[in-house]
Amino acid sequence: ASCLVGSEMCIETDITVSYRLPQKWTKVVGIQDLRFNASIHNVAVFAPHYDGWDPESNSPMGRTFNFGINFTL
């Protein structure tokens, strides 16, 4: 993602990770497919003269954490 700070450009970083368990492990407990995932939005912002505030809403830029589990029986 990106944003404008004054007349400068800044870059926000996002990270997403997921892991699918092998079916030989999941079928033992009666699950066909099992996946764990996590993501972080706004891990870091790279911009000169950036003070941590969102120029559009005039509020601090938040960091969002998401975690999930997907499974198929």
Side-chain angles (χ1 to χ4, degrees):
S2 63
C3 62
L4 289 175
V5 177
S7 62
E8 300 173 350
M9 183 73 137
C10 71
I11 299 173
E12 302 170 355
T13 57
D14 298 332
I15 296 175
T16 301
V17 176
S18 69
Y19 179 74
R20 176 173 277 136
L21 288 175
Q23 284 188 340
K24 66 181 181 180
W25 295 357
T26 59
K27 287 190 176 190
V28 172
V29 293
I31 297 175
Q32 185 177 359
D33 187 41
L34 181 63
R35 185 181 68 192
F36 299 95
N37 56 61
S39 65
I40 305 172
H41 172 69
N42 196 18
V43 175
V45 176
F46 302 99
H49 315 295
Y50 180 65
D51 61 1
W53 287 78
D54 184 350
E56 292 181 2
S57 65
N58 199 23
S59 63
M61 291 185 69
R63 184 170 290 140
T64 306
F65 298 86
N66 292 308
F67 302 95
I69 299 173
N70 298 64
F71 63 93
T72 304
L73 297 176

